[in-house]
Amino acid sequence: MNAGMYAALTGNLSAQRRLDVISNNLANASTTGFKADQIQFESVLANVKNSTQGPVFSNDRYSTDFSAGALQRTDNSLDVALEGDGFFVVNTPQGTAYTRQGSFHLGGNGRLVTADGYEVQGSGGSITVPANGKVEIGANGQVSVNGNAVGTISTADFAKPYALNKLGNGLFQPADPNAPTTASTAGIKQGYLETSNVKAVVEMSRLIEASRYFEICAKAVKTYDDLTSRAANDLGKV
Amino acid sequence: MIRALWTAASGMQAQQLNIDVVANNLANSSTTGFKKSRADFQDLMYQTEKTTGAPATNTTTIPTGIQVGLGVRPGAVSKIFTTGTMVHTGNELDMAIEGDGFLQVQQSDGTTAYTRAGSLKKDGQGRVVTSDGQPILPEIVIPSNATSINIGSDGTVSVQQAGQTAATTVGTIQLASFTNPAGLNAIGKNLFLPTDSSGNATTGTAGQNGLGTLEQGYIEQSNVSVMEEMVSMIVSQRAYEINSKAIQASDDMLQQAAALKR
């Protein structure tokens, strides 16, 4: 078979993967603290040095858009949003993870936890909130109950561009486990949540683009198939 | 392709839950003491197709990997305890709590539930009860010859009795508060039960330790803002529609792939 057909097929596969990513963004249009992913168009033939080499994907440019989502007011005392770059620090079974999802709750032992029950980390480990009063969280993350400070919510940031993996549940982890964290400059806003940064209009246009691209590649595959069929069936005819 | 189909389907399901929550908020927009709910979502797991930082050749590493997410799932539906509007009714046994706190209600199984709906009544034995006939705690009995009832802002209940000039105190309404009201479990009938997340109730006198005061003759309306819910509804409906478009697109692509074979 010829390289052109494989190139076209590679286009199909890349359109498919792009649609997977777009669908995930659209599905998370209402997920607090979600950051959209994108796969950019790159030449799939760039790596083909000669016709015997199949084209490869290594030039699919995948990236996560870490821009801030809009802040939505909820008035819940345990909802916090980050204004600026940075992450909350969460203790998970997979080790320390980072999130922008600030819809916190209280665990059975009075500890501040995420919706999945993972402990939110403060400057001195987890934060225990005594069960007798109004919780106030300052811009620096200081949690106080009835005016008594009980802990400070930690924030952390990483060197940019971020090299973070997504774990699902709004959690991120640095690709390099030894990557040093830097101080976050984000302010914490109590009673607000950061909405998803997915832009539906942009995703819709990417969706159209991906499906048309798929269609074109499928047509190309069909054309190659026609050519091969002619070579096999018509060439011998007199 | 099939992956995108299911991913987008999870998005449609999430928006369905969003609409369910909005519908319940709207249905209760005139319910006394009702607190609106909000659905929180979380992204599902990711399939890592190429790991960031993995060696690309023996001298270079991959700068950014490829992770394809598999959709969304509901994380929590939590109540939002902002205060509703106070409406004057003039009824002696209507009371609104201005500030934090809940009235304590004794359920038929002996457990205590908590409510913000202060439209109280008297039952046949003169006890102060909720609209469902459940007595509030501590129990307060209004004597049958009472001509008027007065509830102070600290919850002291006193009555004027026929033939007497001085008012008689018959009890004190105590309020309860929680560290994290959003963690309370709503059981319908305007009642809430404590959970691990809300913490246990701390009872006290109205107006002290951060508890609100009682306002006789007022009731607290629901805190649902119809305008806000309508906006949420439009947003969810559009998100639902857009997710259905992603399903259509993957279906179209599947169809084209199938058409390749003559």
Side-chain angles (χ1 to χ4, degrees), chain A residues 211 214, chain B residues 1 245 247-258:
Chain A
S211 51
F214 185 93
Chain B
M1 196 74 56
K245 289 274 191 285
I247 292 183
Q248 271 172 13
S250 39
D251 180 38
D252 283 352
M253 279 153 84
L254 273 174
Q255 198 179 7
Q256 286 157 16

Side-chain angles (χ1 to χ4, degrees), chain B residues 14-229:
Chain B
Q15 296 306 337
Q16 256 174 31
L17 175 77
N18 227 349
I19 292 279
D20 289 345
V21 170
V22 168
N24 185 51
N25 287 347
L26 285 172
N28 284 292
S29 56
S30 328
T31 306
T32 307
F34 177 80
K35 298 296 171 198
K36 63 187 175 190
S37 303
R38 186 199 64 219
D40 284 335
F41 299 103
Q42 300 202 312
D43 44 348
L44 275 171
M45 60 209 17
Y46 283 77
Q47 280 186 338
T48 305
E49 304 204 345
K50 213 163 57 176
T51 314
T52 313
T57 64
N58 48 15
T59 52
T60 56
T61 56
I62 295 167
T64 39
I66 294 184
Q67 285 194 296
V68 181
L70 297 179
V72 63
R73 69 177 174 88
V77 175
S78 44
K79 285 271 176 198
I80 297 184
F81 280 86
T82 50
T83 314
T85 327
M86 303 288 174
V87 177
H88 183 254
T89 62
N91 278 347
E92 285 180 322
L93 283 174
D94 279 350
M95 58 192 84
I97 303 164
E98 203 171 324
D100 290 349
F102 292 83
L103 293 166
Q104 304 171 72
V105 177
Q106 185 170 17
Q107 300 199 90
S108 43
D109 62 0
T111 55
T112 308
Y114 301 87
T115 185
R116 296 271 306 179
S119 49
L120 302 175
K121 318 273 182 294
K122 251 189 330 192
D123 70 356
Q125 303 155 43
R127 292 184 303 178
V128 177
V129 295
T130 65
S131 304
D132 292 315
Q134 296 171 323
I136 63 161
L137 293 171
E139 198 169 277
I140 290 163
V141 179
I142 306 290
S144 54
N145 61 351
T147 52
S148 73
I149 305 167
N150 182 49
I151 299 166
S153 63
D154 63 351
T156 311
V157 183
S158 54
V159 294
Q160 265 329 111
Q161 285 166 300
Q164 291 191 2
T165 46
T168 321
T169 303
V170 293
T172 305
I173 294 171
Q174 285 208 313
L175 296 182
S177 70
F178 298 91
T179 311
N180 177 29
L184 288 168
N185 179 19
I187 53 169
K189 297 184 180 166
N190 290 330
L191 299 175
F192 296 98
L193 290 179
T195 64
D196 283 348
S197 167
S198 67
N200 288 329
T202 324
T203 54
T205 309
Q208 290 179 12
N209 298 332
L211 287 169
T213 53
L214 287 170
E215 298 291 325
Q216 186 183 18
Y218 284 83
I219 55 169
E220 182 188 2
Q221 289 194 316
S222 92
N223 66 348
V224 175
S225 144
V226 173
M227 192 60 229
E228 207 178 294
E229 298 300 327

Side-chain angles (χ1 to χ4, degrees), chain A residues 76-168:
Chain A
N76 259 0
S77 57
L78 295 181
D79 282 347
V80 281
L82 285 167
E83 265 191 311
D85 293 343
F87 299 88
F88 298 113
V89 186
V90 181
N91 195 4
T92 74
Q94 296 107 310
T96 305
Y98 301 86
T99 185
R100 300 270 305 180
Q101 203 171 58
S103 49
F104 297 144
H105 302 261
L106 285 187
N109 43 17
R111 294 208 174 121
L112 196 62
V113 293
T114 65
D116 295 306
Y118 302 145
E119 286 172 8
V120 177
Q121 296 297 293
S123 40
S126 61
I127 299 170
T128 306
V129 180
N132 60 353
K134 236 182 145 62
V135 182
E136 286 193 346
I137 301 171
N140 58 356
Q142 186 176 70
V143 184
S144 44
V145 177
N146 296 342
N148 305 319
V150 296
T152 304
I153 297 176
S154 294
T155 53
D157 203 0
F158 295 93
K160 294 185 187 58
Y162 289 134
L164 299 173
N165 287 331
K166 288 186 169 188
L167 300 179

Side-chain angles (χ1 to χ4, degrees), chain A residues 20 30 62 131 166 169-170 226, chain B residues 3 15 43 65 67 179 262:
Chain A
D20 288 341
S30 318
Y62 168 89
K166 288 186 169 188
N169 299 349
D226 286 346
Chain B
R3 195 164 52 177
Q15 296 306 337
D43 44 348
Q67 285 194 296
T179 311
R262 265 175 262 241

Side-chain angles (χ1 to χ4, degrees), chain A residues 5-54:
Chain A
M5 181 139 172
Y6 283 118
L9 269 176
T10 309
N12 280 124
L13 292 174
S14 126
Q16 199 174 318
R17 178 180 298 177
R18 212 161 287 141
L19 179 71
D20 288 341
V21 170
I22 294 165
S23 299
N24 185 52
N25 289 345
L26 291 175
N28 285 291
S30 318
T31 304
T32 309
F34 181 79
K35 299 294 170 211
D37 298 319
Q38 52 190 5
I39 290 187
Q40 278 143 355
F41 275 95
E42 289 270 321
S43 163
V44 283
L45 286 175
N47 279 27
V48 187
K49 304 284 185 295
N50 56 49
S51 57
T52 57
Q53 232 181 344

